[in-house]
Amino acid sequence: MFKKILIANRGEIALRIHRACKEMEIQTVAVYSTADTDAMYVRLADESVCIGPAPSKESYLNIPAILSAATISGADAIHPGVGFLAENAQFAQMVEEHGFVFVGPSPQHIRDMGDKIRAKELAEECGLPIVPGSKGAIESIDDAHAVASTIGYPVLIKASGGGGGKGMKIARSQDELADAYSLARAEAKANFGNDQVYMERYLSKPRHIEVQIIADHFGNVVHLGERDCSIQRRHQKVWEEAPSPALSLEERAKIGEVAADAIRKMGYRSVGTIEFLYENGEFFFIEMNTRLQVEHPITEMITGIDLVEEQIRVANGMPLSFKQEDVKFLGHAIECRINAEHHHTFIPSPGQITNYHAPGGLGVRVDSAMYSGYKVPPYYDSLVAKLIVHAKDRRECLFRLKRALEEYVVGGIETTLPLHRQLVTNEDIINGQYDIHWLEKALEKLIDS
Ligand code: ADP
């Protein structure tokens, strides 16, 4: 097993990975920017190396600085975490070329899945149902008109290099197409340095359902069930559940098998997530994430499997420690993403936490690097905590979540905790009746109440 892993990330996810390493008796190296000198994950790591100033480009995205930190500290492997360089194929390749193990899939799989047009082609070849849309990129406005009239309005123009819900534009009719097309290209260029776009039918009331898979170097592939991540704002997940309140046992088993089968055909290894939209009983592939997901804890809670530990074991060349038939789904889990933002305006709220109390008790897990006195820096993603609750069924899970949210105190900064307190008592949420557009529509009423 690895002796030392460098964690090329920050915040709660760096801490999450550190925890798995410690339980496996692996030493950890934290890297940090000058804005994260006092961060909890830096304090807890066995060693830490400052890799640059606050802006991510100069620190958490600074490949030479990270590789130097790995060399100086004598790490065997590098875990990229979530975000930053986790889906950067060039980084994965450089890690390997410098003699370290990249805790993740092969650079080629990252590259293929990072190009969403290529990803859809591959998904189709591997037997996954895809959203009807353009075959490949849309090269001109004439092309856009032609494809839109075949698939039917409304359509969605998406960035081939997209991520984080950026670079997506809807055209509800022919009149809106030209603007949507040029805006999507401009946004794609600005965010991803690549203005290639493609088109999909815009589904009007789908749920976002994703399947967690894990695969080793020996062709063993296991799926760990699905997560329902339909509660979203600006195409970003806010609240996630496992299992999905919308699927039957048969649908769950079927989509799990289809996803695992596709992964087998791809020859993929490591953890990964296949994302689908689900509407009227049908699944449509949208993308695959070649890394750990923010919402991985809910899968861990219902399966009892430590995904980070398994990911590290697989990266170390070990076979999976369980088979599909060993995976048992137990109860229900919900994760609330808590951001340092105002709960209705969503304006970021960095600053010093003056008092902090995290909830606890049976079935309550808090993945966070916050503490009383900690200063949330303004430079990075505003996710500061994940509250994860597990119970024997969905009803009990909602009661437990409600009481955990009531206990949670974060003083000194604004957080989205009050929004979650509204969601947990909302009738549609209680009934499990929501789709990907629900939250944006519901927000207007929630803000007034
Ligand atoms: P990103 O990589 O930016 O997260 P995704 O392709 O994963 O982009 O889509 C993110 C979200 O955008 C989905 O969860 C869904 O809410 C919405 N979305 C994507 N494709 C479609 C579509 N064809 N129709 C309707 N909504 C979509």
Side-chain angles (χ1 to χ4, degrees):
M1 182 43 74
F2 303 125
K3 295 217 162 21
K4 201 184 265 190
I5 293 185
L6 180 138
I7 304 163
N9 217 296
R10 65 177 298 280
E12 69 79 25
I13 200 68
L15 186 53
R16 164 72 191 91
I17 296 160
H18 164 84
R19 286 173 172 154
C21 290
K22 287 286 93 180
E23 291 177 21
M24 298 172 82
E25 299 194 304
I26 298 170
Q27 299 282 298
T28 57
V29 183
V31 293
Y32 63 99
S33 76
T34 50
D36 278 332
T37 315
D38 296 325
M40 181 62 84
Y41 76 94
V42 178
R43 291 188 194 186
L44 290 178
D46 296 300
E47 289 169 52
S48 58
V49 183
C50 181
I51 49 164
S56 322
K57 268 211 168 101
E58 295 171 53
S59 48
Y60 300 106
L61 295 173
N62 182 345
I63 298 178
I66 293 169
L67 292 176
S68 306
T71 307
I72 296 163
S73 58
D76 315 300
I78 298 184
H79 195 306
V82 174
F84 294 121
L85 297 167
E87 285 173 302
N88 183 317
Q90 196 197 351
F91 176 62
Q93 194 163 332
M94 287 175 79
V95 165
E96 291 184 351
E97 283 167 4
H98 282 75
F100 308 107
V101 173
F102 180 74
V103 183
S106 70
Q108 191 55 43
H109 281 118
I110 303 178
R111 197 168 289 124
D112 284 343
M113 290 300 157
D115 172 346
K116 296 175 102 183
I117 294 177
R118 173 83 188 115
K120 274 186 89 172
E121 274 167 17
L122 261 179
E124 202 173 18
E125 279 166 33
C126 295
L128 294 174
I130 58 167
V131 189
S134 57
K135 286 253 170 288
I138 298 274
E139 306 287 359
S140 66
I141 184 66
D142 290 344
D143 206 4
H145 278 294
V147 179
S149 57
T150 352
I151 60 175
Y153 287 94
V155 296
L156 191 62
I157 318 222
K158 300 172 77 171
S160 172
K166 295 202 180 83
M168 261 185 255
K169 293 284 167 248
I170 307 170
R172 297 193 182 275
S173 65
Q174 204 176 332
D175 302 342
E176 293 179 9
L177 191 63
D179 281 354
Y181 174 71
S182 49
L183 275 173
R185 281 190 88 137
E187 207 171 291
K189 178 87 187 158
N191 283 291
F192 314 111
N194 164 11
D195 70 350
Q196 196 175 50
V197 294
Y198 63 108
M199 190 187 289
E200 276 179 0
R201 179 187 298 155
Y202 179 70
L203 302 180
S204 60
K205 46 178 178 40
R207 298 180 82 110
H208 173 118
I209 295 184
E210 56 184 37
V211 179
Q212 174 71 56
I213 59 89
I214 179 155
D216 64 18
H217 287 76
F218 307 97
N220 301 308
V221 182
V222 172
H223 76 81
L224 298 172
E226 86 286 6
R227 295 182 286 258
D228 193 321
C229 313
S230 304
I231 305 290
Q232 301 182 353
R233 183 181 162 266
R234 299 202 170 156
H235 307 303
Q236 297 231 34
K237 300 161 189 167
V238 170
W239 154 305
E240 300 104 344
E241 306 196 29
S244 166
L247 292 196
S248 67
L249 281 176
E250 293 73 36
E251 284 175 306
R252 172 163 309 122
K254 180 83 203 317
I255 196 63
E257 270 170 40
V258 169
D261 196 42
I263 291 295
R264 215 168 279 122
K265 288 183 182 140
M266 280 176 211
Y268 182 89
R269 57 168 165 78
S270 190
V271 297
T273 297
I274 304 196
E275 299 192 335
F276 298 94
L277 293 178
Y278 171 80
E279 191 173 74
N280 302 327
E282 273 189 273
F283 284 94
F284 302 96
F285 168 88
I286 46 171
E287 69 161 342
M288 176 170 173
N289 287 137
T290 53
R291 55 165 168 82
L292 197 66
Q293 303 271 109
V294 171
E295 59 275 22
H296 76 276
I298 50 174
T299 300
E300 296 185 322
M301 301 311 274
I302 63 161
T303 59
I305 292 168
D306 183 323
L307 274 166
V308 180
E309 186 176 324
E310 287 299 328
Q311 185 188 24
I312 293 172
R313 286 170 53 88
V314 165
N316 195 234
M318 296 161 88
L320 282 182
S321 64
F322 50 85
K323 296 196 168 53
Q324 189 66 57
E325 53 271 29
D326 301 326
V327 179
K328 301 275 177 281
F329 299 107
L330 191 71
H332 196 91
I334 298 178
E335 173 181 278
C336 296
R337 294 193 189 196
I338 298 155
N339 292 346
E341 289 169 4
H342 185 275
H343 64 284
H344 283 156
T345 62
F346 301 99
I347 292 172
S349 175
Q352 187 148 29
I353 295 165
T354 48
N355 49 330
Y356 183 74
H357 172 78
L362 183 65
V364 176
R365 164 175 171 181
V366 176
D367 278 19
S368 173
M370 276 192 284
Y371 58 88
S372 194
Y374 172 62
K375 235 184 190 165
V376 178
Y379 309 101
Y380 313 111
D381 189 279
S382 62
L383 180 80
V384 284
K386 303 185 306 203
L387 172 59
I388 304 115
V389 169
H390 181 225
K392 76 171 190 306
D393 55 34
R394 188 168 188 270
R395 189 173 166 274
E396 223 173 73
C397 192
L398 286 166
F399 281 123
R400 183 165 285 163
L401 177 58
K402 180 168 176 287
R403 81 89 183 139
L405 284 163
E406 281 162 6
E407 276 178 43
Y408 212 154
V409 178
V410 183
I413 58 164
E414 300 277 3
T415 72
T416 51
L417 275 166
L419 171 66
H420 288 293
R421 292 188 188 113
Q422 286 185 305
L423 293 180
V424 78
T425 52
N426 182 282
E427 209 174 316
D428 290 342
I429 299 266
I430 291 171
N431 295 328
Q433 279 169 351
Y434 51 79
D435 59 39
I436 60 166
H437 307 299
W438 181 87
L439 180 59
E440 301 226 351
K441 286 186 210 142
L443 269 176
E444 289 162 29
K445 276 188 239 148
L446 294 176
I447 291 169
D448 290 340
S449 64

